[in-house]
Amino acid sequence: VAALLDLSVDELKSPAFAEVFAGNRVLPGMQPYAACYGGHQFGQWAGQLGDGRAITLGEVVNRAGERWELQLKGAGPTPYSRTADGRAVLRSSIREFLCSEAMHHLGVPSTRALCLVATGDEVTRDMFYDGRARAEPGAIVCRVAPSFIRFGNFEIFAARDDTTTLGRLVDFTIERDFPEIEGNGADRRIQWFESVCARTAVMVAHWLRVGFVHGVMNTDNMSILGLTIDYGPYGWLENFDPGWTPNTTDASGRRYRFGQQAQIAHWNLAQLANALVPVFPSTESLEAGLERFASTFEAEQRRMTAAKCGFTDFREGDPELVGDLYTLLHKAEVDMTIFFRALADVDIARPQLEPLHAAFYAEDKRAATQSEFAAWLARYAARASIDALPEQIRRARMNAINPRYVLRNYLAQEAIDLAEQGDTSRIDELLEVMRHPYDDQPGRERFAQKRPDWARTRAGCSMLSCSS
Ligand code: AMP
Ligand code: MG
């Protein structure tokens, strides 16, 4: 990310860099601000919110002519902090830092992370809101994106009946961040909303492809650019379960569970559409955008699912084949990431279950579903053989879309445990692994293994709260 900003290694090592990115120094030309926005949280209009602990330092245009905004998270109070402290703890900052980069390298649209600075301050948090507050080390992440504008930035002006500013923000956003959109006036705005819907659909299709659960898909956490933003109580599917959410704050309703993310994205876009009504010529033009979400999501999901299975396209019968697979993976507690890599290793001329064994969490469930998996694998092999791809090509294609390495919840937690004891080497090591998620990395097999038993119920591994 430093290279994107044309920062040299010497600059990264300078005391000035640490001062600026610890939030202690404003350089000439920087114009720090915190943004005001509103949002729908857990299905309800939550009124005015805002960057409670995010401060944009300014923007940089690099030598390639790209514009990037730099934003500190956790540097202290802002006008929108309400009663909170504006700080962030080390554990959540490590999680944001590593996951932003892991997502980017997986090919999932995301905000990026430049650096992680330990502040030396203590920050008090009650992790499970149960009266057991403790002092934790503080940290600041600098995130980087072309824009941090959220759905909620539009919703707030609609809520205030400020149509003039709402329209100006729409045109500003189009002008600055959607240069590919041509035309003018109402037509341009209509194309823009369709583009926002399409980008959001692509993002969510990628989440489902890699097994990512955002955890808090409130409209204030939805980027207008379709970037994954605000890494809080997110998690990665290990044993495949569409009903899973890592967010303990959402445990009762599980609104933001893995398998519901597309519906929630659509619901969030509908809230954005409602906010935009006063500056659009008709509600039909906004409905067209929402339809674009549905069609883009379906097309992307079909394309990605076919590729995950090593098929050249998604044909008749494939939705049933894949649907049956997901039912089986759920029932038998199978690790999604390991399974798809292993599926590439199955010889479709002589399909055997053996390569898939390592993906099962429970030996009894594996034994109990053996015949069902054998039957499914025979159907899969028959289907794959229709494409008549050479085995090496099928394997290479599958391995280019099914990651070997994802930021498993327990891997991040191990890095956090070490860092809290002063050893930050695991953060560097994990970052390096996550930069090449589709490559087999000899010597780093341990980072591709399924969740160990100790992590099944451990806080930070399977359960996370919004406290950060
Ligand atoms: P986040 O998890 O960063 O999306 O935070 C959710 C909302 O609460 C955002 O509007 C934040 O600005 C706000 N918030 C969370 N933690 C703090 C904090 N320590 N100080 C101020 N605002 C916070
Ligand atoms: Mg947020």
Side-chain angles (χ1 to χ4, degrees):
V1 176
L4 276 181
L5 304 173
D6 300 330
L7 288 168
S8 69
V9 173
D10 283 345
E11 282 166 318
L12 297 182
K13 288 181 177 163
S14 71
F17 184 91
E19 279 180 59
V20 168
F21 292 98
N24 291 331
R25 191 165 150 194
V26 174
L27 297 179
M30 284 181 173
Q31 292 186 312
Y33 71 88
C36 178
Y37 46 80
H40 280 83
Q41 300 191 320
F42 297 94
Q44 309 287 333
W45 173 245
Q48 187 202 291
L49 308 162
D51 289 330
R53 53 174 170 172
I55 300 172
T56 294
L57 292 176
E59 56 184 52
V60 169
V61 178
N62 67 13
R63 281 194 281 268
E66 298 164 335
R67 209 185 49 81
W68 293 99
E69 281 186 26
L70 276 61
Q71 184 175 82
L72 302 183
K73 182 166 173 180
T78 77
Y80 307 105
S81 298
R82 294 181 275 186
T83 57
D85 57 10
R87 307 278 169 193
V89 293
L90 182 62
R91 64 181 153 82
S92 67
S93 303
I94 291 173
R95 284 170 49 82
E96 171 134 17
F97 176 77
L98 286 175
C99 201
S100 316
E101 291 303 290
M103 293 285 267
H104 169 76
H105 291 286
L106 281 164
V108 184
S110 177
T111 59
R112 306 290 304 272
L114 171 66
C115 59
L116 171 64
V117 176
T119 60
D121 289 338
E122 287 194 333
V123 176
T124 303
R125 289 291 183 269
D126 181 355
M127 201 191 324
F128 285 106
Y129 308 113
D130 61 0
R132 288 183 296 165
R134 71 168 178 121
E136 299 187 48
I140 298 170
V141 170
C142 177
R143 30 186 206 188
V144 176
S147 167
F148 289 97
I149 293 178
R150 301 142 187 272
F151 293 6
N153 288 101
F154 300 89
E155 289 180 280
I156 190 68
F157 292 121
R160 290 177 183 165
D161 284 327
D162 183 353
T163 308
T164 310
T165 314
L166 177 61
R168 288 182 64 197
L169 180 62
V170 169
D171 292 334
F172 169 82
T173 303
I174 299 172
E175 186 73 35
R176 196 187 65 172
D177 293 312
F178 292 78
E180 69 281 6
I181 296 180
E182 291 167 352
N184 44 44
D187 180 51
R188 194 158 167 246
R189 290 182 181 178
I190 292 167
Q191 284 187 57
W192 166 72
F193 184 66
E194 284 192 17
S195 174
V196 173
C197 290
R199 287 185 193 213
T200 305
V202 171
M203 173 186 79
V204 175
H206 278 292
W207 290 358
L208 302 187
R209 168 176 73 82
V210 298
F212 177 78
V213 190
H214 182 285
V216 208
M217 292 176 72
N218 294 330
T219 57
D220 51 303
N221 290 339
M222 298 291 293
S223 144
I224 204 69
L225 292 179
L227 304 173
T228 312
I229 190 172
D230 270 7
Y231 291 91
Y234 68 81
W236 294 82
L237 275 197
E238 291 175 309
N239 50 304
F240 181 80
D241 179 0
W244 184 68
T245 174
N247 183 359
T248 53
T249 315
D250 189 26
S252 55
R254 288 182 298 114
R255 178 179 174 83
Y256 298 139
R257 59 187 182 268
F258 176 73
Q260 199 170 26
Q261 296 184 109
Q263 286 90 317
I264 293 292
H266 184 270
W267 189 89
N268 288 342
L269 286 162
Q271 306 317 308
L272 175 61
N274 280 338
L276 295 172
V277 166
V279 296
F280 270 61
S282 65
T283 52
E284 288 75 25
S285 57
L286 289 157
E287 277 158 18
L290 295 175
E291 274 161 34
R292 178 82 182 275
F293 172 85
S295 59
T296 307
F297 178 73
E298 197 195 317
E300 286 296 310
Q301 208 191 17
R302 289 170 73 95
R303 184 180 68 77
M304 290 180 198
T305 305
K308 282 180 80 66
C309 294
F311 304 156
T312 52
D313 58 358
F314 213 56
R315 312 185 161 204
E316 206 186 314
D318 290 350
E320 292 73 25
L321 182 68
V322 172
D324 291 348
L325 171 63
Y326 283 132
T327 304
L328 265 181
L329 294 181
H330 184 197
K331 175 171 152 185
E333 275 183 41
V334 178
D335 188 281
M336 175 184 174
T337 305
I338 297 175
F339 180 86
F340 277 102
R341 281 303 271 219
L343 188 60
D345 293 333
V346 169
D347 176 356
I348 65 165
R350 265 182 69 254
Q352 302 280 322
L353 290 176
E354 206 276 323
L356 306 175
H357 282 185
F360 287 79
Y361 279 96
E363 177 51 30
D364 55 339
K365 293 198 172 165
R366 187 192 67 74
T369 54
Q370 206 165 355
S371 59
E372 287 171 275
F373 269 97
W376 183 86
L377 201 60
R379 283 165 68 200
Y380 169 78
R383 165 64 184 89
S385 63
I386 294 174
D387 289 336
L389 288 178
E391 273 294 82
Q392 264 182 331
I393 305 281
R394 181 183 66 94
R395 208 159 279 158
R397 286 188 176 196
M398 289 175 77
N399 289 347
I401 194 162
N402 295 311
R404 167 74 78 199
Y405 300 93
V406 294
L407 188 63
R408 292 172 181 275
N409 313 306
Y410 84 90
L411 293 176
Q413 188 58 41
E414 286 179 335
I416 291 166
D417 290 342
L418 285 167
E420 287 187 348
Q421 289 152 32
D423 175 2
T424 58
S425 60
R426 184 63 65 78
I427 302 174
D428 297 322
E429 194 180 3
L430 264 185
L431 178 60
E432 195 45 44
V433 172
M434 297 303 153
R435 278 178 174 150
H436 311 280
Y438 299 100
D439 296 350
D440 290 318
Q441 299 178 39
R444 286 175 168 155
E445 291 80 5
R446 84 173 288 285
F447 298 110
Q449 277 159 12
K450 65 189 169 209
R451 176 197 60 219
D453 264 348
W454 62 262
R456 209 180 167 91
T457 51
R458 162 110 201 257
C461 296
S462 60
M463 306 174 294
L464 291 135
S465 73
C466 288
S467 160
S468 56

